[in-house]
Amino acid sequence: MEGLSGKLFLLSCLFAAEGSAQDFGQTQFICTSVPKDVDLCTAAMQNSGPAEDLKTTIFQLRETVLQQKETIVNQKETIRELTSKLSRCESQSLPAAVGPGGRRPGGKNTMGDVSRGTADTLAQLGQTLQTLKHRLENLEQYSRGNNSAQANSMKDLLQNKIDDMEKQVLSRVSTLEESKPGQGNETDQRNRVESTLTSLHHRISDLEKGKETRPADRFQLTFPLRTNYMYAKAKKTLPEMYSFSVCLWIKSNASPGVGTPFSYAVPGQANELVLIEWGNNPMELLINDKVTKLPFLINDGKWHHLCITWTTRDGMWEAFQDGVKRGNGENLAPYHPIKPDGVLVLGQEQDTLGGGFDATQAYVGELAHLHIWNRKLSVTEISNLATCNSKAPIGNVFYWTESNIEIFGGATKWTFEPCSSVN
C-alpha cells in the first residue's frame, strides 16, 4: 500500500509538471526507475533531466508572458490618454456648426465674432475666396463662348459679390490684427488673402475687356477701407518742377476726412507734395511741408474733378472743382522747386520714403485719371478735362495708364469712363 502511494505521488508530480506545460506546446510522460527506499518526487526531480529543462522553460515563458502583459497594459493606458487629449484638442479647435448666413444654431449672428481662432477665420475666408475663384473660372469659360447680355449680367453680379467679399475679408483681418498684434503667421495669411483678392480683381478686369481691349486709361482705383497697407504706387518718379498742375477724378463719402488721395515723398522730405483731408480739417495741399487749405467740398459720395496749379514764383496756387475755380492763394513754399527722384503713392500719406503709412490718414473712396504736368494749365484746359472734351490734355510728367501704376494690399481696379460714369 505504501509503494502504491509512492507511485501515485510520483505520477501526480509528473502530471503536475505536464499540466503546467500544457499551455506552451506538446508534452510527454516520462518513466524513470527509482530505488524503493528513496523519496519518489525528490528522486524524480533530481534524476529527470528533461523535466528539469521543461520546468525552467515554463518559468521563463511565464515571466515573459507577464512582462508582455504589463507592457500591453501600459501601452493601452498611453493610447487612452492620447485619445483623450486628441478629443479635447479637437473640441477646442473646431468651431460650432455654422449655418447659412454665418448663424449658429439658435439664431446668433457670428459674422463679427472675433473670439474664434484667427487661423480658423482666415482659413474659412480663404475657402470662400477659392469658391469665388472657381465661379470666376466657370464664368470665363462661359464668356469666351458666349459674349451675350447674360454673360455681362453674370460678370456684373460676380463683381458685386467679390467687392462685398473684399470689404468683409479686409475688415475681418484688420479687426483680428488689432486684437492680436504682432503675430507673423496671421500677417502672412492676411497677405495671401490680399494677394488672392488682387488676383481676382485683375482677372475680372481682363474679363471686362472681352474681345475688345479696354483703353489703358479707362480704369479707376478703389480703396474700400481705411488701412495702413492698401495703396497704389507710380512706377516712375517725378522730375524737378518749378511749376505744376495736378488733376484727378475723385469720389468719396468718408468721414471724418477722405484721407490722402496722393502723396509724393523725396529723400529727406516725406511731405514734398501731398493732397490730404483728415480729421475734421478741410482738404490741404502740402509742398515741402508747407501747407495751405483748399476750398474743396467733395465727401458727398459723388464724382468730382479736381485741379490744382502752382508756381514756385511767389508760391502762387489755384484750385478748381468740376471745372470751376474755387480759390487761390500765394506764399506756398515760394521759390522751392519740387525735387526729383521721389516716390508717388496713391491712397496713403508717407512718413518715410515709400512707407510709414498711418491708417488714420489713408484714403477711402475711388479715384481715377490722375495727371501731372510741369506747367500751369489754362482755365480752358482745365474745363476740357472736367467735361471730358476731346481736346483735354494728357499729363506730360505723369499720365493715367495701367502700365504706370501697381497696386498693393487689396486696392482694386475697375473700368471707369469719365463723365459717363459720373454720379
Side-chain angles (χ1 to χ4, degrees):
M1 189 70 179
E2 182 181 347
L4 179 59
S5 299
K7 290 180 181 178
L8 290 173
F9 189 60
L10 173 60
L11 286 173
S12 66
C13 290
L14 292 176
F15 275 124
E18 185 271 339
S20 301
Q22 66 183 354
D23 294 334
F24 304 96
Q26 278 190 332
T27 61
Q28 59 184 352
F29 292 100
I30 301 172
C31 298
T32 304
S33 60
V34 179
K36 183 178 179 181
D37 56 348
V38 176
D39 181 77
L40 294 177
C41 281
T42 303
M45 294 305 172
Q46 288 176 348
N47 297 326
S48 58
E52 183 66 28
D53 291 341
L54 181 59
K55 181 180 178 181
T56 302
T57 302
I58 290 170
F59 288 149
Q60 289 176 347
L61 287 173
R62 180 177 294 169
E63 185 69 21
T64 301
V65 169
L66 291 174
Q67 290 175 354
Q68 290 178 347
K69 183 178 180 181
E70 184 178 358
T71 301
I72 291 171
V73 170
N74 291 337
Q75 289 176 344
K76 284 183 177 179
E77 185 63 26
T78 301
I79 291 171
R80 189 179 296 110
E81 290 178 2
L82 290 174
T83 303
S84 177
K85 290 179 180 179
L86 180 60
S87 299
R88 288 197 300 269
C89 290
E90 288 177 344
S91 65
Q92 291 171 1
S93 63
L94 292 176
V98 177
R103 295 183 180 274
R104 298 184 192 276
K108 181 180 179 181
N109 193 316
T110 61
M111 293 300 284
D113 182 6
V114 296
S115 63
R116 244 173 58 191
T118 304
D120 289 343
T121 301
L122 292 179
Q124 193 174 53
L125 293 175
Q127 289 176 359
T128 305
L129 288 175
Q130 289 299 321
T131 301
L132 286 175
K133 183 181 291 187
H134 179 68
R135 292 173 59 190
L136 177 58
E137 289 170 353
N138 292 337
L139 177 58
E140 287 173 334
Q141 293 177 1
Y142 180 82
S143 295
R144 280 194 289 268
N146 185 2
N147 190 19
S148 64
Q150 184 180 0
N152 293 331
S153 175
M154 290 175 65
K155 286 187 289 185
D156 293 340
L157 181 63
L158 187 56
Q159 284 177 359
N160 293 335
K161 181 70 173 177
I162 292 178
D163 194 35
D164 292 341
M165 184 64 195
E166 173 194 59
K167 293 179 181 179
Q168 178 187 345
V169 169
L170 294 177
S171 177
R172 187 58 175 260
V173 172
S174 297
T175 302
L176 291 169
E177 285 190 332
E178 290 173 4
S179 62
K180 293 185 178 180
Q183 296 188 9
N185 259 350
E186 294 167 13
T187 300
D188 292 341
Q189 292 187 59
R190 185 204 75 190
N191 291 337
R192 285 195 293 271
V193 170
E194 291 169 359
S195 176
T196 303
L197 282 170
T198 301
S199 175
L200 283 171
H201 282 290
H202 283 163
R203 293 173 66 186
I204 282 289
S205 297
D206 293 339
L207 192 58
E208 284 182 325
K209 296 177 184 178
K211 294 182 180 180
E212 298 179 4
T213 302
R214 181 181 71 195
D217 65 336
R218 295 294 191 265
F219 72 97
Q220 69 183 51
L221 295 180
T222 300
F223 303 89
L225 296 171
R226 207 181 292 276
T227 73
N228 63 352
Y229 52 81
M230 189 184 301
Y231 66 102
K233 184 173 69 173
K235 294 182 179 179
K236 298 179 181 179
T237 187
L238 303 181
E240 184 176 53
M241 297 185 294
Y242 291 85
S243 62
F244 69 76
S245 297
V246 179
C247 299
L248 72 158
W249 285 96
I250 192 170
K251 176 182 179 181
S252 180
N253 60 358
S255 179
V258 302
T260 309
F262 71 84
S263 64
Y264 177 69
V266 297
Q269 179 53 269
N271 295 327
E272 183 68 5
L273 176 57
V274 182
L275 182 64
I276 183 172
E277 179 186 277
W278 64 286
N280 294 313
N281 302 308
M283 184 163 281
E284 298 173 337
L285 178 68
L286 283 75
I287 297 179
N288 192 32
D289 212 22
K290 307 300 187 295
V291 62
T292 189
K293 299 184 186 303
L294 301 176
F296 292 147
L297 297 174
I298 61 170
N299 60 342
D300 55 3
K302 297 180 180 180
W303 281 104
H304 295 284
H305 187 263
L306 306 182
C307 270
I308 305 164
T309 66
W310 173 87
T311 61
T312 186
R313 183 176 180 178
D314 296 326
M316 299 183 65
W317 60 269
E318 293 179 329
F320 297 79
Q321 179 173 329
D322 299 325
V324 178
K325 184 176 177 179
R326 292 296 182 88
N328 63 283
E330 57 184 13
N331 292 322
L332 176 59
Y335 305 103
H336 170 82
I338 301 298
K339 295 179 181 178
D341 304 323
V343 177
L344 177 61
V345 169
L346 310 182
Q348 295 285 352
E349 192 271 337
Q350 304 173 66
D351 286 337
T352 60
L353 186 64
F357 303 148
D358 181 348
T360 63
Q361 297 176 328
Y363 175 68
V364 179
E366 300 161 89
L367 62 85
H369 284 225
L370 173 68
H371 290 268
I372 303 177
W373 297 258
N374 60 355
R375 64 180 180 87
K376 180 181 176 181
L377 293 183
S378 68
V379 173
T380 300
E381 288 175 316
I382 292 173
S383 177
N384 287 340
L385 285 165
T387 57
C388 304
N389 191 292
S390 59
K391 296 180 181 180
I394 295 175
N396 66 339
V397 167
F398 177 84
Y399 60 95
W400 189 255
T401 183
E402 295 193 56
S403 61
N404 281 348
I405 297 171
E406 49 187 343
I407 60 178
F408 301 91
T412 59
K413 187 187 298 183
W414 301 102
T415 296
F416 175 74
E417 293 288 343
C419 296
S420 61
S421 296
V422 172
N423 306 327

